[in-house]
Amino acid sequence: MTASLTALMINCTLKPSPGLSSGDVLGGQVMTALERRGVAVDTVRAVDSRILPGVETDMGEGDEWPRIRRAVLDADILVFVTPTWLGQHSSVAQRVLERLDAELSETDETGRPILFDRVAIPVVVGNEDGAHHITAILAQALGDVGFTIPAQASVYWNGEAMQKTDYRELDSTPDPVASAVETAAANAAHLAGLLRRDPYPA
């Protein structure tokens, strides 16, 4: 029997646990949609771990990235969540991207980049503009290190301009966001299944 697909969500909020995070809410909706499609899920809040600066897989004493990296490598789907600050992705998200850069020099037993056959979903949330810009950055960076981005896989929510409402404070999920969540989950699970059965060639 083939093992279930797996998904890891890395929430790059700036708020340590147990602080409330809109990224946990929107990213959690994506994870729930993946679960409905038979995907086993797990979550990491990156700011809770000591991720040292650098572009190596292990930066030495005190670096907790290797544990997160192992979870990334074990997952078929990465749900990469970042808030929007000053129109940009968070500094925590940038740190995670920089650490993923090390995978460019890592290969599997056939000589392929080690992150091939894995799928990524960019998720962006914030009460200010910037989601399309951030999604483009995430898609390019994650694609560079080896992930495949499914069709219409980005999920985002921007609050009303010049207001302070957070996504986690909404009474209900806006229909366009709910639709984007379902499309991203469906396409990601479908593509991850295809890549597991028929990996990219060496």
Side-chain angles (χ1 to χ4, degrees):
M1 181 176 177
T2 303
S4 297
L5 292 171
T6 59
L8 174 71
M9 181 176 94
I10 300 182
N11 182 5
C12 295
T13 178
L14 299 180
K15 301 170 184 173
S17 298
L20 299 176
S21 165
S22 288
D24 274 343
V25 177
L26 183 54
Q29 291 173 338
V30 174
M31 299 298 267
T32 298
L34 287 168
E35 283 188 295
R36 288 198 297 270
R37 290 162 174 84
V39 179
V41 302
D42 194 13
T43 299
V44 169
R45 191 181 285 206
V47 75
D48 290 341
S49 300
R50 190 174 183 223
I51 301 174
L52 296 181
V55 289
E56 304 293 335
T57 58
D58 188 341
M59 296 305 298
E61 184 177 356
D63 186 18
E64 296 183 58
W65 173 252
R67 173 178 51 81
I68 299 174
R69 176 181 183 262
R70 183 70 261 163
V72 171
L73 295 179
D74 288 343
D76 300 291
I77 301 167
L78 175 66
V79 178
F80 193 105
V81 183
T82 181
T84 304
W85 290 109
L86 300 174
Q88 309 294 321
H89 55 290
S90 73
S91 58
V92 175
Q94 183 63 27
R95 178 67 55 85
V96 171
L97 291 175
E98 288 166 351
R99 295 306 301 271
L100 286 171
D101 182 75
E103 307 310 327
L104 285 169
S105 59
E106 299 293 320
T107 56
D108 65 15
E109 62 276 5
T110 68
R112 304 177 317 146
I114 200 168
L115 290 176
F116 270 25
D117 307 328
R118 291 169 177 81
V119 171
I121 301 175
V123 178
V124 182
V125 63
N127 55 17
E128 59 181 279
D129 196 8
H132 283 174
H133 164 72
I134 296 169
T135 298
I137 289 172
L138 297 184
Q140 185 273 332
L142 294 169
D144 262 9
V145 299
F147 289 98
T148 299
I149 310 299
Q152 295 187 348
S154 61
V155 177
Y156 72 90
W157 178 83
N158 284 142
E160 185 180 358
M162 309 295 285
Q163 304 300 312
K164 295 186 179 296
T165 301
D166 288 336
Y167 185 74
R168 60 183 172 80
E169 297 169 337
L170 299 182
D171 294 330
S172 61
T173 303
D175 288 343
V177 177
S179 177
V181 165
E182 292 299 322
T183 298
N187 289 352
H190 175 71
L191 182 55
L194 291 177
L195 287 172
R196 178 181 284 190
R197 293 190 296 273
D198 189 11
Y200 287 118

